Amino acid sequence: MKIAVDAMGGDYAPKEIVEGIELARDTYPDITFLLYGLTDQINKYLKNDDRIEVKQADEVIAMGDEPVKAVRSKKQSSLVLAATAVKDGEADAFFSAGNTGAILAAGLFIIGRIKGIDRPGLATTLPVVTENSRKNFVMLDVGANADTKVLNMYQYAMMGKYYAQNVMNVANPEIGLLNNGTEADKGNMDHRKVHDLLADDGDLNFAGNVESRELLNGAADVVVTDGFTGNAVLKSIEGTALSMLHLIKDNIMAGSLKSKLGAAMLKSTFGNIAKAMDYSRYGGAVLMGVKAPVVKTHGSSKAPTVKNTIGQIKQIIDSKMIPELNDYITSHKDHLDQIKDSIKNK
Amino acid sequence: MKIAVDAMGGDYAPKEIVEGIELARDTYPDITFLLYGLTDQINKYLKNDDRIEVKQADEVIAMGDEPVKAVRSKKQSSLVLAATAVKDGEADAFFSAGNTGAILAAGLFIIGRIKGIDRPGLATTLPVVTENSRKNFVMLDVGANADTKVLNMYQYAMMGKYYAQNVMNVANPEIGLLNNGTEADKGNMDHRKVHDLLADDGDLNFAGNVESRELLNGAADVVVTDGFTGNAVLKSIEGTALSMLHLIKDNIMAGSLKSKLGAAMLKSTFGNIAKAMDYSRYGGAVLMGVKAPVVKTHGSSKAPTVKNTIGQIKQIIDSKMIPELNDYITSHKDHLDQIKDSIKNK
């Protein structure tokens, strides 16, 4: 398989991207790479070009660029050229650590939606940190769409099911709807409609509403949410975890010698905690609902995270997640059309 | 001043409520209390009835009762009778640790809205845990309304300003809009409209959009949000903080003797952290936009939290927050009507 890489996206690009791709190349013997970017900069860091083809891109989409405009106007950017390679069948998947909005726009406008999916959604895997047979879960949409409709959330559930099944290897994944209470009638009008649609769908293992308080305790394998709330919840989890680690550190540094000694003795414990909360271990965020894997990692990603994310892309391809999702949607066209009509008539 | 108390609401009612009210009575010599509930149960715990009048209520609204229905049908419940005492001018404020929905319904239907406020919102004070001149912030709505409109969010900003000014003693409080990015054009349609309304309002010190990642770092004094997102974010913060404390504990218990010894040495540090994250120190959630203070604490509240919440109610009354908010709204009626029209015409 071949992966098209935006080598210029991310805070440490191209250095950490190039080094991460070399790690991935050494780990996965069946992957070859197309690396798009400023070739003279890339070649400074590339030690060995075995299975790595460097392709010149004259432009770079910056983190602050307006996404849709940048994708439309910077045709020679590493991001647009890498996405175009996927569209043209030259590569099987797209990877970037760059401008999130531009990645979403490239996925949507260049690579294109799966027929029958109205709006792609961004899926992130998060850890379950308390004792549970479930070790992680996938949540979507975490920010591709700020204005999410009932139909979109219903489709997120289907897409999340395929992600959990194929990439996380969960048989018959439990699907929860993020809501402001667990009772069936909770939430705003849209969430109540989504609840009923999911409850009525025999192909989905719907576990009902879940509250954000229970997410890290493993409330479900797939957590469905509108993109506005999902984004806010994801950032709250990140922010709270980081704030607590700071708080612990500040308290230790302000404390007595005893507290510093205690902290030294707990060093490996704190290491385990930081590891448990580090969701880059699970790879990047996946734009679900487009025709090929479009995967982004945090802008601050370093080489090992880049390598992990390539492993995730390989799993998406090897497991045939996208063709299977596509087959399901094609073969259930009538059913999905009925759902669309029922939403309109409600 | 006189506070009407639902003595039967909460997981530890009436014991912890009665004990908390006695603590508050001993702390605040200018407060008298009307305690509604099953008098024989209340009297079992009441040691001294100085400034505490016990009033019989034959019914109790349970945590699982359907809120609006319960408030309408259980006319003799402690919750309804306490709210009615406020409505009838027999008491200045309402307090309960009971069924949240029923408290909101009683505030709305019995005590009633301030004229000019379309929908009351629930405000919670949260701690700022990293180094910052700001020690806490107020966020609203955290769940009174699952379907929040542009006008409601605009009014939350005004109400939050009065809360921060009068109760938190912040001069010219900075107001932030919870959104999925800091740029002015971020968010869904409603949030963009709210952003522009707040930015144009000369009476509000608007600091722009804030992300949930930055809340505990002290992004603003007042954080305005729709009730659905606010509820999800509040529960994410709670859930993540609790999960991290569990994670630390589990890792320590599973660790070596060295790690257990280290934890013993960090005992006071962990105590500080638990204290910093415990937002019951700041009192309860306040239903902003009704004619009298309506304040609820967590169902799991014990006597000291009940006492703190009574202190918060005293501050709301002493600072004249509600009359001042009311005066502002009355004197700006034309301006507020223009805003309403402008939202309709958009």
Side-chain angles (χ1 to χ4, degrees):
Chain A
M1 68 184 74
K2 195 177 276 186
I3 299 177
V5 175
D6 164 19
M8 306 308 289
D11 304 339
Y12 306 111
K15 180 173 180 291
E16 297 288 335
I17 309 298
V18 171
E19 290 177 7
I21 294 301
E22 289 209 72
L23 285 177
R25 186 258 333 272
D26 297 343
T27 311
Y28 306 111
D30 57 343
I31 309 183
T32 58
F33 297 91
L34 296 177
L35 228 59
Y36 289 85
L38 300 165
T39 48
D40 54 343
Q41 284 200 33
I42 292 172
N43 286 327
K44 263 199 282 186
Y45 302 106
L46 189 67
K47 292 192 191 81
N48 164 5
D49 68 358
D50 184 30
R51 282 187 280 127
I52 297 177
E53 190 179 340
V54 180
K55 302 273 222 172
Q56 173 66 18
D58 297 335
E59 292 174 295
V60 172
I61 293 182
M63 287 303 204
D65 282 358
E66 202 284 300
V68 175
K69 206 177 132 194
V71 167
R72 292 217 165 117
S73 64
K74 291 187 170 177
K75 299 281 185 204
Q76 293 304 312
S77 63
S78 52
L79 197 156
V80 168
L81 288 177
T84 307
V86 175
K87 180 202 161 204
D88 292 344
E90 289 166 28
D92 304 299
F94 168 91
F95 167 78
S96 174
N99 182 318
T100 306
I103 295 167
L104 300 179
L108 198 56
F109 301 126
I110 300 174
I111 295 169
R113 287 178 293 125
I114 291 174
K115 212 182 154 193
I117 296 292
D118 291 72
R119 286 205 196 181
L122 198 59
T124 292
T125 308
L126 285 161
V128 171
V129 300
T130 48
E131 200 56 50
N132 197 306
S133 59
R134 197 168 274 147
K135 294 298 168 220
N136 53 44
F137 66 97
V138 62
M139 180 159 80
L140 76 171
D141 173 27
V142 294
N145 303 301
D147 286 287
T148 304
K149 304 261 183 316
V150 171
L151 181 67
N152 306 136
M153 283 193 261
Y154 176 63
Q155 293 179 347
Y156 296 158
M158 290 175 2
M159 297 195 283
K161 175 190 167 176
Y162 277 87
Y163 191 87
Q165 244 175 217
N166 291 43
V167 182
M168 290 156 61
N169 296 314
V170 180
N172 198 22
E174 275 200 318
I175 297 168
L177 175 65
L178 187 67
N179 208 330
N180 58 10
T182 53
E183 300 87 342
D185 62 347
K186 281 285 177 174
N188 56 27
M189 300 289 282
D190 281 355
H191 283 79
R192 273 179 265 169
K193 284 184 196 166
V194 175
H195 178 281
D196 293 348
L197 283 175
L198 296 178
D200 287 347
D201 190 317
D203 287 349
L204 298 174
N205 180 11
F206 184 51
N209 290 329
V210 298
E211 291 194 274
S212 55
R213 195 188 279 125
E214 297 301 326
L215 293 181
L216 298 184
N217 295 333
D221 298 299
V222 177
V223 174
V224 171
T225 168
D226 69 276
F228 191 83
T229 310
N231 191 268
V233 163
L234 178 65
K235 287 173 180 167
S236 304
I237 292 173
E238 280 180 16
T240 306
L242 282 175
S243 294
M244 285 201 64
L245 290 174
H246 277 292
L247 188 64
I248 292 169
K249 208 175 160 188
D250 289 352
N251 266 286
I252 287 169
M253 297 317 290
S256 61
L257 182 64
K258 192 174 89 177
S259 109
K260 280 170 197 144
L261 203 59
M265 294 171 107
L266 277 175
K267 210 178 159 199
S268 76
T269 302
F270 287 135
N272 288 342
I273 290 159
K275 198 176 158 202
M277 293 307 295
D278 173 18
Y279 63 86
S280 72
R281 284 193 306 140
Y282 302 100
V286 181
L287 184 62
M288 297 291 296
V290 288
K291 287 178 191 157
V294 169
V295 182
K296 76 152 301 246
T297 58
H298 253 287
S300 61
S301 296
K302 301 242 178 157
T305 302
V306 172
K307 190 210 83 180
N308 289 347
T309 311
I310 297 299
Q312 178 191 20
I313 293 174
K314 176 175 155 56
Q315 174 74 4
I316 294 174
I317 296 173
D318 282 344
S319 72
K320 304 195 187 332
M321 179 188 83
I322 294 176
E324 288 183 10
L325 172 63
N326 190 57
D327 285 351
Y328 178 82
I329 290 169
T330 309
S331 63
H332 288 72
K333 191 178 176 304
D334 291 348
H335 172 68
L336 294 173
D337 284 345
Q338 277 169 19
I339 298 278
K340 276 192 208 188
D341 288 342
S342 80
I343 294 169
K344 273 186 210 148
N345 297 335
K346 258 185 190 168
Chain B
M1 69 184 73
K2 195 178 276 187
I3 299 178
V5 175
D6 164 20
M8 307 308 289
D11 304 340
Y12 307 110
K15 180 174 181 291
E16 297 289 334
I17 308 298
V18 171
E19 289 176 7
I21 294 301
E22 289 208 71
L23 285 177
R25 186 258 333 271
D26 297 342
T27 311
Y28 306 111
D30 57 343
I31 311 182
T32 59
F33 298 91
L34 295 177
L35 227 61
Y36 289 85
L38 300 165
T39 48
D40 55 342
Q41 285 198 33
I42 292 173
N43 287 327
K44 263 199 281 184
Y45 302 106
L46 189 67
K47 292 191 192 81
N48 164 5
D49 69 358
D50 184 29
R51 282 186 281 124
I52 298 177
E53 191 179 341
V54 180
K55 301 272 223 173
Q56 172 67 18
D58 296 335
E59 292 173 295
V60 172
I61 293 182
M63 286 304 203
D65 282 359
E66 203 284 301
V68 176
K69 206 176 132 195
V71 167
R72 293 217 165 119
S73 63
K74 291 187 171 176
K75 299 281 185 204
Q76 294 303 313
S77 64
S78 52
L79 197 155
V80 168
L81 288 177
T84 307
V86 175
K87 180 201 161 205
D88 293 344
E90 289 165 26
D92 304 298
F94 169 91
F95 167 79
S96 175
N99 181 318
T100 305
I103 295 167
L104 300 179
L108 198 56
F109 301 126
I110 299 174
I111 295 170
R113 288 178 291 126
I114 291 174
K115 212 182 154 196
I117 296 293
D118 290 74
R119 286 204 195 182
L122 197 59
T124 293
T125 308
L126 286 161
V128 170
V129 301
T130 48
E131 201 56 48
N132 196 304
S133 58
R134 196 168 275 147
K135 294 298 168 218
N136 53 44
F137 67 97
V138 62
M139 180 160 80
L140 76 171
D141 173 28
V142 296
N145 303 300
D147 288 286
T148 305
K149 305 261 182 319
V150 171
L151 181 68
N152 306 136
M153 282 193 263
Y154 176 63
Q155 293 179 347
Y156 296 158
M158 292 177 358
M159 298 195 282
K161 176 191 166 176
Y162 278 86
Y163 191 87
Q165 245 176 216
N166 292 42
V167 182
M168 290 156 59
N169 296 314
V170 180
N172 199 21
E174 276 199 317
I175 296 168
L177 176 65
L178 187 68
N179 208 330
N180 57 12
T182 53
E183 301 88 342
D185 63 346
K186 281 286 178 171
N188 55 27
M189 300 289 281
D190 280 354
H191 283 79
R192 273 179 264 168
K193 285 184 197 166
V194 175
H195 177 282
D196 293 348
L197 283 176
L198 296 178
D200 287 347
D201 190 317
D203 288 348
L204 298 175
N205 180 12
F206 184 51
N209 290 329
V210 297
E211 292 194 273
S212 56
R213 196 187 277 126
E214 298 303 325
L215 293 181
L216 298 184
N217 295 333
D221 298 301
V222 176
V223 173
V224 171
T225 168
D226 68 277
F228 191 83
T229 310
N231 189 267
V233 164
L234 178 65
K235 287 174 180 166
S236 304
I237 291 173
E238 280 180 14
T240 306
L242 282 174
S243 294
M244 285 200 64
L245 290 174
H246 276 292
L247 188 64
I248 292 169
K249 206 174 161 189
D250 290 352
N251 266 286
I252 287 170
M253 296 318 289
S256 60
L257 182 64
K258 192 174 87 176
S259 108
K260 280 170 197 144
L261 203 58
M265 294 171 113
L266 278 175
K267 208 178 162 203
S268 76
T269 303
F270 288 135
N272 288 343
I273 290 158
K275 199 177 157 202
M277 294 305 296
D278 174 18
Y279 62 87
S280 72
R281 282 192 307 140
Y282 302 100
V286 181
L287 185 62
M288 296 290 296
V290 287
K291 287 178 190 158
V294 169
V295 182
K296 73 153 300 244
T297 58
H298 253 287
S300 61
S301 296
K302 301 242 177 157
T305 302
V306 172
K307 190 210 82 180
N308 288 347
T309 311
I310 297 299
Q312 177 191 20
I313 294 173
K314 177 176 155 55
Q315 174 74 4
I316 294 174
I317 296 173
D318 283 342
S319 71
K320 306 196 187 331
M321 180 187 84
I322 294 176
E324 287 183 11
L325 172 63
N326 190 57
D327 286 351
Y328 177 83
I329 290 168
T330 309
S331 63
H332 288 72
K333 191 179 176 304
D334 291 349
H335 173 68
L336 294 172
D337 285 346
Q338 277 169 20
I339 298 277
K340 276 191 207 188
D341 288 342
S342 80
I343 293 169
K344 273 187 209 144
N345 297 333
K346 259 186 187 165

